[in-house]
Amino acid sequence: MFQPDRHFLLVAVGTVVHLALTYSVIDIHFQTPVVRGIEPVGFRGAPAAKRVFLIVADGLRADKLFEFDGDGKPRAPYLYDRGTRAGRYGISHTRPPTESRPGHVALCAGFFEDPSALFSGWKVNPVQFDSIFNRTSSSWGFGAPDVVPIFEGHGTYAFDAYPEEMEDFAADYLGALDTWVFDKVDVFMKDVATNASHPFRNGPSVMFLHLLGLDSNGHAHGGPSSSQYLENIALVDEGIRNLTAQVEELFPDSSTAYVFTADHGMTDQASHGDGAPENTETPLVVWGAGIGRADSKTAEWGYGGERRCDIEQSQVAPLMASVLGIPTPVNSLFALPKELLDDDQSTFRAHAVWNSAKQLESAYAKKAEVVRDTSLTFKPFGPFVDVGEKLNQNIEAAFAEENMQLAEELSVQLGELAVHGLDYLQRYDWVLLMVVVTLGFGGWMAYLVVTLIQENLAQQNRVQCSNYGWRIAGGTLLGMCWTTLAYINAPATYYIYFALPCIFIFETLHQLSSAWSAIKTVETLPAGVLLGGSMAVVLCLLAISIGFVRREILFFLTAFSSALSGRQPLHRSLGHCLSCMAAGSFALIPAGAKFNSPALVATAGLVGSLQAIWVLGKRTTQSYVLITQLCLIVSMGIGVLLPTYRTSLPGFSAGLYFGGTLLEWTFRTVFIGAMLLPLLAPQDATLRIQSVFLGILTSFMVTGVSWEPLFLCALGMALWSWYNSDMPVSSTGKISVGLGDVPDALRFLIFANLGFFGQGNIASVASFDIASVYRLTHIFNPFVMGGILFIKILIPLMLVASVYTAILKRKGVSFFGVHALVVLLCDVMSIRFFFLVKGVGSWQEIGTSLGFYGVMNAQVIVVLVLFGLARVFVGGVIWKSQKEKIG
């Protein structure tokens, strides 16, 4: 028999393996662009500006700025004037993850952080990088406490942030966040006016204004179409008008440039994070010193404007550096957007484009050196070797002849060549890593297969192999790989990737050699039956994975799952089918179709209570815990209908009123306590399962926004009908996992995916409705809010895992074997998504493919953890007909 700790080892090893496999796509497709030791290139020529104002409207979607109001007037009249008459405007395209930190790093440092930066920290720098603030003589930032400190320690950068308590989502209007910033800058400028030696006067200086009001109003009040969001646009526009007038009066030297943009956009569902165009398309308006002016005859405002200038978000940093006449941040990976520069200043334009190109060339040279030192063989980027030196000679000749137009054109070619070379070096190890990680995937899956085979062997047929040849060979190969990696100073993660195939492939061969004689004696199904069954399983897994894109497939899969129960009485089969279809129908609701409806949340409490009473009948009163849970659900149904936010009562002008605060703490207590109450319920299987359902439903109601709790009721009924459709096996021992357990494992995966997608999610961080947290917290905190949303996602999956565990317990099937089987089936889908991850193409495609792979691997890890939790809740249940516990 397997030792009891084998299940723990499966969870531990499986978690480590899938964390490594998940992170591998970062090294394959999105390696960090930050390279140490790049030399800055000094600016050649005179600067165009002494100071730059970088104004970032957090969460401002491009189309909302460009649209006209009901009277046909620009929604932001001053920015409209600046973009169409005094400067240029367009779209700044960002990339996923469309969050505040990556967006601001792109704007100020000139590169897009790899997604792994989100794993390392949010408010602090996980990786030290160069930014525009390092290159200035003085710089300041005003704004949110989780954004402006990002650049702390960058040169002379100083900042001031408002307290976190101001980010109160219970407020009627959050424009006060932006008013605070404008007021602070007003005080700052008045200080500059009275101080003749103030460093901001002569520059080069950058003033960073972070305006969070739009993002906060969008999240708190229903998205970019809410009246608060649109009103905030007008507030920002007027604030910039007043700021510009103050600056121009103080500095009439025409040496100030202005950059207005956003870090990311926002979907209609008030979310962001993925690569949807609503999130990646942000507005850009630039004007002032060194910036070109639009032709008033052709400068239409909006998406259709002929003079609209589209750039990458990371091109803002080299733009600011160029107008200030300072070196471009050394980690910048994008060329200067020269179309935004003043056409009348040809010398300045040529020098600015040259400086940007030379900085990119310097980055390429250092990156090539790093790659050469970490590779056994190195092949430089061919085109750069062929024409790079010649281009530099021609550029210098053009400058010597004062042919600025030619110097600019050649510098553009040099910059483009350097960018292509950097991209080549970023993906230098792509093929090697793809092969190694694929072998690691295959080795892990093969190991699971052999584990399941051994689980099925009779006890007497199991033999211990004294030949450790395969293990010795694997260890030797691993030692050679690690020695090579150490020699070339490879990243630490490479050691893990090479270890996976060496360990699992050779361990699989070892296990096969030890059990081969026993395997040959086992009777198996005919080859044709095995092949047909395997194809059916693969097709089912393919359908589940397609459900990530086409959620309606889950409806048909859930309905189909009712047919996997075998022969049953007609009334039971019909009831099971109808309950599965009812649960699956929620997958037909379009993602993002939620609407705020506390009445639906309260109705779900009533439905769930009646559902449990119907199942239990007279046994409802046999447990005080169940009676308590039913009363708690009724109380929560009333509670969700009460106003949590501030009322219009006199004397309560901010924050929550006392009753609202008390209700908030009540919700917090119930949210945690309700999930623990089932531990006190009787061990009777029916009572315990219904107690788990009621406890989970109560917590889910606290975070419910619309119809999601009703979905949980439907899911609970479908799971209960599944539980009833599987008759208990009369055995008190552990049964090894066999082919007959595959249908149940597939059904578990179908219900698990339905539990995720059925509550309105998509495989993206932008699908999670932040309104779900408002009953628990109203102060913005990404970690707290993210944690609550994550728990909400897991609640339906916990219910699925609990019912499945109870079924396994009743059948007496080995938990270890079933969990290994489930992980194996999940990995079949994971490896498909692994090959679908894209590193090039549109950022919506890249973000979506990365999201699918991340969600699938996270599902594997979460399922393993949930199985362990489910055993705590239902692992000790007994049945009415039993005199003692099974197993």
Side-chain angles (χ1 to χ4, degrees):
M1 296 292 292
F2 281 89
Q3 297 299 318
D5 61 347
R6 290 293 297 276
H7 181 267
F8 172 78
L9 290 176
L10 173 67
V11 173
V13 175
T15 299
V16 172
V17 168
H18 285 89
L19 285 175
L21 293 175
T22 302
Y23 193 88
S24 67
V25 296
I26 304 298
D27 280 331
I28 294 172
H29 298 286
F30 310 101
Q31 284 196 19
T32 175
V34 177
V35 179
R36 309 281 180 226
I38 300 175
E39 291 296 326
V41 177
F43 192 84
R44 177 189 290 179
K50 295 179 180 178
R51 64 199 71 87
V52 169
F53 281 82
L54 173 62
I55 308 169
V56 182
D58 200 307
L60 176 57
R61 211 165 80 179
D63 62 326
K64 291 301 176 182
L65 178 73
F66 293 143
E67 73 180 10
F68 293 82
D69 60 21
D71 297 327
K73 298 179 180 179
R75 197 168 292 283
Y78 184 72
L79 289 172
Y80 166 80
D81 176 79
R82 298 295 88 186
T84 58
R85 294 183 176 85
R88 297 284 173 84
Y89 83 94
I91 305 294
S92 171
H93 296 270
T94 186
R95 300 180 179 182
T98 45
E99 301 290 349
S100 291
R101 179 199 155 78
H104 285 91
V105 169
L107 288 168
C108 300
F111 70 93
F112 292 104
E113 277 188 304
D114 62 274
S116 66
L118 295 181
F119 306 144
S120 306
W122 188 262
K123 299 181 182 180
V124 296
N125 294 328
V127 178
Q128 292 300 317
F129 55 85
D130 191 21
S131 75
I132 189 73
F133 303 112
N134 280 326
R135 303 299 166 191
T136 60
S137 61
S138 56
S139 55
W140 294 265
F142 298 95
D146 55 343
V147 172
V148 290
I150 290 175
F151 304 101
E152 184 177 6
H154 285 222
T156 60
Y157 177 74
F159 65 90
D160 191 6
Y162 43 74
E164 291 183 353
E165 290 72 22
M166 285 187 65
E167 300 177 36
D168 183 356
F169 283 11
D172 287 334
Y173 180 59
L174 287 157
L177 300 177
D178 298 343
T179 301
W180 184 94
V181 174
F182 286 124
D183 289 345
K184 283 289 184 179
V185 176
D186 177 69
V187 173
F188 177 89
M189 297 307 301
K190 290 177 179 177
D191 180 57
V192 174
T194 59
N195 186 351
S197 61
H198 199 287
F200 190 70
R201 286 181 171 272
N202 298 317
S205 303
V206 172
M207 174 69 70
F208 169 37
L209 282 69
H210 175 250
L211 308 176
L212 187 62
L214 284 157
D215 188 73
S216 299
N217 274 314
H219 285 313
H221 299 293
S225 296
S226 65
S227 59
Q228 292 89 342
Y229 188 94
L230 300 179
E231 182 181 343
N232 208 144
I233 293 178
L235 184 150
V236 169
D237 185 68
E238 185 62 24
I240 294 174
R241 178 196 299 273
N242 296 334
L243 170 65
T244 306
Q246 184 181 25
V247 172
E248 295 305 318
E249 180 181 358
L250 180 61
F251 301 113
D253 55 3
S254 299
S255 295
T256 306
Y258 303 85
V259 177
F260 174 80
T261 187
D263 52 349
H264 57 74
M266 182 177 290
T267 66
D268 290 335
Q269 292 74 42
S271 62
H272 54 82
D274 65 7
E278 296 90 339
N279 291 327
T280 60
E281 294 181 356
T282 65
L284 176 73
V285 183
V286 292
W287 69 97
I291 304 298
R293 291 174 176 265
D295 184 347
S296 60
K297 297 180 180 179
T298 60
E300 294 91 348
W301 181 245
Y303 275 86
E306 294 181 21
R307 295 298 297 271
R308 168 184 144 186
C309 299
D310 283 19
I311 68 170
E312 293 283 348
Q313 189 178 58
S314 286
Q315 291 182 285
V316 171
L319 173 66
M320 293 190 294
S322 295
V323 297
L324 287 172
I326 58 177
T328 300
V330 297
N331 301 123
S332 175
L333 299 181
F334 287 84
L336 170 70
K338 66 183 184 67
E339 61 273 14
L340 295 176
L341 299 180
D342 192 347
D343 296 328
D344 297 331
Q345 301 183 43
S346 59
T347 300
F348 163 70
R349 281 175 58 97
H351 287 152
V353 176
W354 173 86
N355 176 260
S356 173
K358 292 298 290 184
Q359 190 62 68
L360 290 168
E361 182 185 34
S362 177
Y364 167 81
K366 187 62 181 180
K367 181 69 174 179
E369 178 184 329
V370 171
V371 173
R372 183 185 299 109
D373 293 342
T374 57
S375 302
L376 288 176
T377 59
F378 174 69
K379 182 179 179 181
F381 184 55
F384 203 95
V385 174
D386 297 336
V387 300
E389 185 61 33
K390 184 65 175 178
L391 267 177
N392 276 297
Q393 294 174 359
N394 292 339
I395 291 171
E396 292 302 326
F399 274 121
E401 298 171 1
E402 297 187 354
N403 189 341
M404 297 304 167
Q405 182 177 354
L406 178 61
E408 180 181 326
E409 293 173 355
L410 293 175
S411 295
V412 169
Q413 295 179 28
L414 178 64
E416 291 175 347
L417 195 63
V419 168
H420 291 313
L422 285 167
D423 181 65
Y424 165 80
L425 296 175
Q426 282 289 103
R427 296 166 54 85
Y428 193 79
D429 292 331
W430 182 83
V431 175
L432 173 64
L433 290 178
M434 283 290 291
V435 171
V436 171
V437 173
T438 300
L439 289 175
F441 242 126
W444 165 250
M445 294 169 68
Y447 177 75
L448 290 175
V449 171
V450 172
T451 299
L452 289 171
I453 291 175
Q454 286 194 327
E455 180 78 359
N456 272 280
L457 293 177
Q459 178 70 31
Q460 61 271 20
N461 287 338
R462 292 180 184 167
V463 294
Q464 296 295 325
C465 180
S466 58
N467 183 1
Y468 293 94
W470 288 115
R471 286 181 172 176
I472 294 173
T476 302
L477 179 60
L478 179 60
M480 294 171 60
C481 291
W482 280 4
T483 300
T484 304
L485 293 174
Y487 175 75
I488 63 175
N489 196 28
T493 51
Y494 284 35
Y495 291 82
I496 300 176
Y497 304 148
F498 277 83
L500 294 180
C502 291
I503 292 174
F504 290 115
I505 290 178
F506 285 92
E507 180 62 21
T508 297
L509 294 173
H510 170 78
Q511 297 293 342
L512 279 176
S513 65
S514 65
W516 184 248
S517 58
I519 293 174
K520 291 190 295 183
T521 65
V522 176
E523 295 184 5
T524 60
L525 294 173
V529 175
L530 284 174
L531 180 60
S534 299
M535 292 180 62
V537 171
V538 171
L539 288 175
C540 184
L541 294 174
L542 178 62
I544 295 174
S545 62
I546 294 175
F548 277 53
V549 182
R550 304 294 300 272
R551 297 166 66 247
E552 59 271 18
I553 289 179
L554 292 173
F555 168 76
F556 298 101
L557 286 173
T558 308
F560 163 75
S561 70
S562 63
L564 298 177
S565 299
R567 299 179 62 181
Q568 300 180 70
L570 179 60
H571 70 280
R572 181 170 290 178
S573 295
L574 182 60
H576 185 31
C577 181
L578 290 176
S579 64
C580 288
M581 292 177 67
S585 64
F586 283 86
L588 300 176
I589 301 176
K594 295 178 186 176
F595 51 91
N596 187 28
S597 178
L600 283 179
V601 178
T603 301
L606 177 61
V607 172
S609 300
L610 294 176
Q611 192 171 297
I613 293 172
W614 177 77
V615 170
L616 295 172
K618 296 180 179 180
R619 303 178 67 190
T620 305
T621 58
Q622 293 182 4
S623 170
Y624 290 112
V625 174
L626 284 165
I627 296 174
T628 301
Q629 289 179 299
L630 290 171
C631 294
L632 193 57
I633 283 187
V634 173
S635 301
M636 285 301 99
I638 298 173
V640 297
L641 297 175
L642 296 177
T644 311
Y645 297 150
R646 168 173 29 93
T647 69
S648 57
L649 293 175
F652 298 99
S653 59
L656 300 178
Y657 64 96
F658 174 75
T661 304
L662 180 62
L663 188 59
E664 188 178 73
W665 277 104
T666 301
F667 280 134
R668 292 172 181 173
T669 304
V670 171
F671 181 68
I672 298 173
M675 288 187 284
L676 301 178
L677 272 178
L679 295 174
L680 304 177
Q683 291 282 23
D684 177 86
T686 301
L687 295 177
R688 177 58 71 93
I689 291 174
Q690 290 304 312
S691 179
V692 170
F693 166 69
L694 291 174
I696 284 177
L697 176 61
T698 306
S699 296
F700 203 61
M701 288 173 62
V702 174
T703 59
V705 176
S706 183
W707 43 260
E708 322 97 284
L710 285 173
F711 160 70
L712 190 66
C713 294
L715 179 65
M717 183 53 69
L719 291 170
W720 179 252
S721 64
W722 175 25
Y723 174 81
N724 279 334
S725 68
D726 277 299
M727 292 295 98
V729 177
S730 57
S731 171
T732 58
K734 290 293 182 76
I735 302 174
S736 297
V737 175
L739 296 177
D741 295 298
V742 174
D744 273 348
L746 288 173
R747 194 184 310 189
F748 166 77
L749 291 178
I750 292 172
F751 277 119
N753 280 276
L754 179 65
F756 179 81
F757 292 105
Q759 55 179 302
N761 294 322
I762 58 175
S764 162
V765 295
S767 68
F768 309 139
D769 192 349
I770 198 171
S772 298
V773 310
Y774 290 165
R775 294 190 185 99
L776 299 170
T777 181
H778 59 282
I779 301 300
F780 178 75
N781 185 307
F783 290 109
V784 173
M785 291 179 169
I788 295 171
L789 291 171
F790 185 65
I791 293 174
K792 180 183 179 182
I793 293 167
L794 295 186
I795 285 177
L797 276 65
M798 182 63 200
L799 181 60
V800 177
S802 296
V803 174
Y804 186 43
T805 299
I807 291 173
L808 297 177
K809 183 72 176 178
R810 184 172 61 181
K811 286 185 172 182
V813 180
S814 164
F815 285 119
F816 173 82
V818 169
H819 296 174
L821 174 62
V822 170
V823 172
L824 175 62
L825 296 177
C826 287
D827 283 334
V828 174
M829 293 186 286
S830 291
I831 198 168
R832 173 179 180 265
F833 286 126
F834 172 74
F835 287 109
L836 292 178
V837 172
K838 295 182 178 181
V840 295
S842 76
W843 280 99
Q844 184 173 14
E845 295 173 339
I846 293 172
T848 300
S849 66
L850 184 61
F852 287 171
Y853 180 66
V855 168
M856 191 66 247
N857 270 287
Q859 188 180 107
V860 177
I861 298 171
V862 166
V863 162
L864 287 171
V865 175
L866 289 181
F867 275 144
L869 292 176
R871 292 184 68 181
V872 174
F873 282 96
V874 299
V877 295
I878 59 175
W879 284 265
K880 193 174 182 180
S881 60
Q882 292 177 302
K883 294 182 179 179
E884 57 183 68
K885 295 182 181 180
I886 292 180

